[in-house]
Amino acid sequence: MSTIRDGSVSRHASNRASSYLENGSWSLETTMERFRTVAERYPDNDAVVGLDETMTYQQLDSRSDQVAAWLISAGLPIGGAVIVQAGNSAETVLAFYSLLKAGAVPVAALPAHRSHEIGEISRAIQAVGHLVDSATSNGALLDLAHKNAQKQRSISHFLTVGSAPDGFVRLSDVGSDIDPVDARHQVELVQATIHHEDVAVFQLSGGTTGTPKIIPRLHAEYWNQALFNSRTLGRQPHSRTAHVMPILHNAGVINALFGAHSVGGCVIPLPFADADTTIEALLDTRATDLMMISAMETWLDHPLWRILCATSLQFLIYSGSKPPADVVEKIASSGIWIGQTWGMAEGPYATSRLDAPREIRASSVGTPTFAQDDQILVVDPVTLAAVPDGKPGMLIYRGPSTVAGYYDSPEHNAMNFTPDGFLLTGDLARLIDCEGTLYIVLEGRIKDVISRGGETFSTEEVEKLLRQHTAIAEAAVVAMKDTRLGERACAYLTLRDGAIPPTLTDIQQHFAALGVAKFKWPERIEIIEELPRTATLKINKLELRSDIANRLAAEGSPHSLDSSTVTAFGKR
């Protein structure tokens, strides 16, 4: 199999592509050639420090060469797509880089994804391999890989991070008997076949119209986006960037994995655990930077957190929602720099500038990664006409890392991109000018998605799954605010004639049986007689969002995990 060339790259105007190369926004080298250059410059620096092991750049570079050489000898085809579902560990970093060095294209799925998502992705991409973390979900991913391969016959390579049962190969166990010089030669031969416009990694969308869409990230741009982002944050070879959210998720790659390695720093991939365990790990690994989400705000009052701030931690980058004013004050008063970041797997990415005033860092998500080449506009969501400066509208985005289209998805491309290549982000935003620099202020979302603990998913997808339940006639899913996770899913349901009202447990068992990732499961249901409608007979989700907000306020709770009520709401 040849390397995968993004079928939509041709939609990048040739003059823009040439400009990206001339300006240095794009590179002619492959992602692992970029890593090799850094590894040779900083061989003795810590490259990765996990709870499982520590590797210097020299060790990670040499060991991943050997594993890649083994993969090549095992017949893993250059350009073959490999589904990857792995947790945060040094072993995951080794496996990911080994796949890239062997010329494979990792598909960055989440450990939480199940057959509903993995099956569709595997079919679309004709996956040839599946790498799973055997310790995740009590071994459920091992069974998932086997069952998925029974349906997707192109999969013939079964790989693991962690212990490997019969039929699987643990990547960290192979290749050590291969001569390092020979291994490097084999890797260099493979890398020489890869074009800069070939796909390096497939990321997955949070999903706004169903199962995740497949997003091609190119060798030309992916490493560079992380490098430019790290430069904006002032990172240096001594930086130690910790990440507790999925390390192979787009934000993890840009902010932490490639983000640390592009400047010769150390990445610290840690599993998300309780405050005691995680903060102690941050102390032990001497983390200097950390991405924070709302679920971590309670850590700020932990005794160990104060020790962390007094010893190694210097920078916090807040993601997923706007940080509350009291959180900004608490972090800043500890002497820690706080900024924000925002991005999409499709490529748009913005980060607070290191030198931006604190009030700008607290109110905006920052500036685009590629200052010289990223193009951002705020437009009317309906007409796509530009709105006056400072007024809110839909943010649209075009630039070196913003894809020209989803993989093999012309219908979605037609709906999500303008004819001249701008991505319709679906985010409401306005632009503010501070000393000649434009900053992005997010005001909400147009597309109907839910962001739960940093993971985004489509309400339409969940509604379709709900309607497969024998008792449900119609379903409308809306976000309900949650102080810990940002948002959770609340499902408004109408029933078929004579149906027995399902409980929340019934609904969650239904989703489990369908093999749906758990973070997408509804966490509250409201059974109603009719769904409210607009004048054009569309479901009035504004009314539903208002209703759930009022219910939560009346209950005196920001969220409810076990509500299953029957109401007359929506009766007309």
Side-chain angles (χ1 to χ4, degrees), residues 49-333:
V49 175
L51 296 183
D52 51 339
E53 64 177 313
T54 294
M55 285 182 277
T56 65
Y57 273 93
Q58 190 279 327
Q59 290 168 334
L60 177 58
D61 191 27
S62 178
R63 190 73 190 92
S64 56
D65 279 347
Q66 291 176 308
V67 177
W70 183 90
L71 287 167
I72 294 165
S73 68
L76 184 68
I78 298 174
V82 177
I83 305 292
V84 178
Q85 293 180 278
N88 287 12
S89 66
E91 190 176 355
T92 289
V93 174
L94 171 64
F96 188 68
Y97 279 11
S98 299
L99 289 171
L100 285 167
K101 284 189 173 185
V105 181
V107 183
L110 294 170
H113 282 146
R114 291 296 180 265
S115 57
H116 172 69
E117 296 89 5
I118 295 300
E120 289 293 327
I121 295 162
S122 299
R123 283 190 288 276
I125 213 68
Q126 289 294 294
V128 300
H130 199 157
L131 184 148
V132 299
D133 192 328
S134 61
T136 298
S137 303
N138 295 317
L141 296 182
L142 296 167
D143 185 55
L144 171 64
H146 271 309
K147 289 182 176 178
N148 184 55
Q150 291 171 5
K151 299 177 181 178
Q152 185 58 44
R153 296 294 183 179
S154 60
I155 296 177
S156 58
H157 298 269
F158 299 92
L159 312 169
T160 70
V161 166
S163 60
D166 289 345
F168 286 82
V169 173
R170 183 176 187 174
L171 285 187
S172 61
D173 286 346
V174 301
S176 58
D177 57 342
I178 300 176
D179 179 74
V181 174
D182 182 55
R184 172 165 295 197
H185 179 63
Q186 291 185 58
V187 168
E188 288 175 342
L189 289 176
V190 167
Q191 295 295 302
T193 69
I194 300 173
H195 190 274
H196 66 280
E197 290 184 5
D198 289 338
V199 179
V201 176
F202 281 119
Q203 285 289 349
L204 303 176
S205 72
T208 58
T209 56
T211 51
K213 296 183 287 294
I214 299 167
I215 299 165
R217 301 305 302 265
L218 311 183
H219 287 277
E221 53 82 16
Y222 209 12
W223 184 272
N224 268 9
Q225 188 173 43
L227 173 62
F228 280 51
N229 183 67
S230 285
R231 286 175 175 171
T232 300
L233 293 170
R235 288 177 175 158
Q236 301 292 330
H238 62 261
S239 298
R240 299 174 71 85
T241 302
H243 202 75
V244 299
M245 291 166 286
I247 192 69
L248 300 185
H249 196 275
N250 186 62
V253 171
I254 292 174
N255 179 71
L257 182 53
F258 292 175
H261 289 167
S262 62
V263 295
C266 174
V267 63
I268 304 170
L270 298 174
F272 189 93
D274 60 88
D276 289 344
T277 302
T278 307
I279 301 174
E280 187 172 346
L282 292 168
L283 277 166
D284 290 343
T285 56
R286 307 190 311 280
T288 61
D289 327 5
L290 177 67
M291 179 179 282
M292 168 173 270
I293 60 173
S294 58
M296 298 157 62
E297 289 172 8
T298 56
W299 296 6
L300 302 179
D301 297 317
H302 196 286
L304 288 178
W305 182 264
R306 290 190 284 273
I307 297 173
L308 179 65
C309 292
T311 52
S312 65
L313 193 65
Q314 300 172 36
F315 303 96
L316 275 176
I317 194 80
Y318 201 98
S319 179
S321 59
K322 185 177 292 186
D326 63 323
V327 169
V328 173
E329 176 59 34
K330 190 175 292 186
I331 292 170
S333 64

Side-chain angles (χ1 to χ4, degrees), residues 250-437:
N250 186 62
V253 171
I254 292 174
N255 179 71
L257 182 53
F258 292 175
H261 289 167
S262 62
V263 295
C266 174
V267 63
I268 304 170
L270 298 174
F272 189 93
D274 60 88
D276 289 344
T277 302
T278 307
I279 301 174
E280 187 172 346
L282 292 168
L283 277 166
D284 290 343
T285 56
R286 307 190 311 280
T288 61
D289 327 5
L290 177 67
M291 179 179 282
M292 168 173 270
I293 60 173
S294 58
M296 298 157 62
E297 289 172 8
T298 56
W299 296 6
L300 302 179
D301 297 317
H302 196 286
L304 288 178
W305 182 264
R306 290 190 284 273
I307 297 173
L308 179 65
C309 292
T311 52
S312 65
L313 193 65
Q314 300 172 36
F315 303 96
L316 275 176
I317 194 80
Y318 201 98
S319 179
S321 59
K322 185 177 292 186
D326 63 323
V327 169
V328 173
E329 176 59 34
K330 190 175 292 186
I331 292 170
S333 64
S334 299
I336 305 300
W337 180 94
I338 179 172
Q340 294 188 60
T341 192
W342 163 85
M344 300 173 65
E346 287 85 347
Y349 208 86
T351 303
S352 294
R353 288 170 53 137
L354 192 63
D355 59 354
R358 177 173 147 185
E359 59 271 20
I360 293 293
R361 289 185 272 117
S363 61
S364 81
V365 296
T367 58
T369 308
F370 297 96
Q372 60 188 357
D373 283 325
D374 274 333
Q375 297 173 278
I376 54 175
L377 296 171
V378 176
V379 301
D380 182 281
V382 177
T383 66
L384 300 187
V387 301
D389 290 346
K391 298 295 183 182
M394 181 169 62
L395 183 68
I396 64 174
Y397 220 104
R398 186 175 72 180
S401 280
T402 301
V403 295
Y406 297 108
Y407 181 80
D408 195 26
S409 188
E411 292 183 1
H412 284 129
N413 292 341
M415 293 187 295
N416 290 281
F417 294 85
T418 67
D420 53 353
F422 279 91
L423 170 69
L424 309 179
T425 68
D427 285 298
L428 283 171
R430 57 188 174 87
L431 304 179
I432 57 174
D433 186 299
C434 177
E435 300 178 353
T437 299

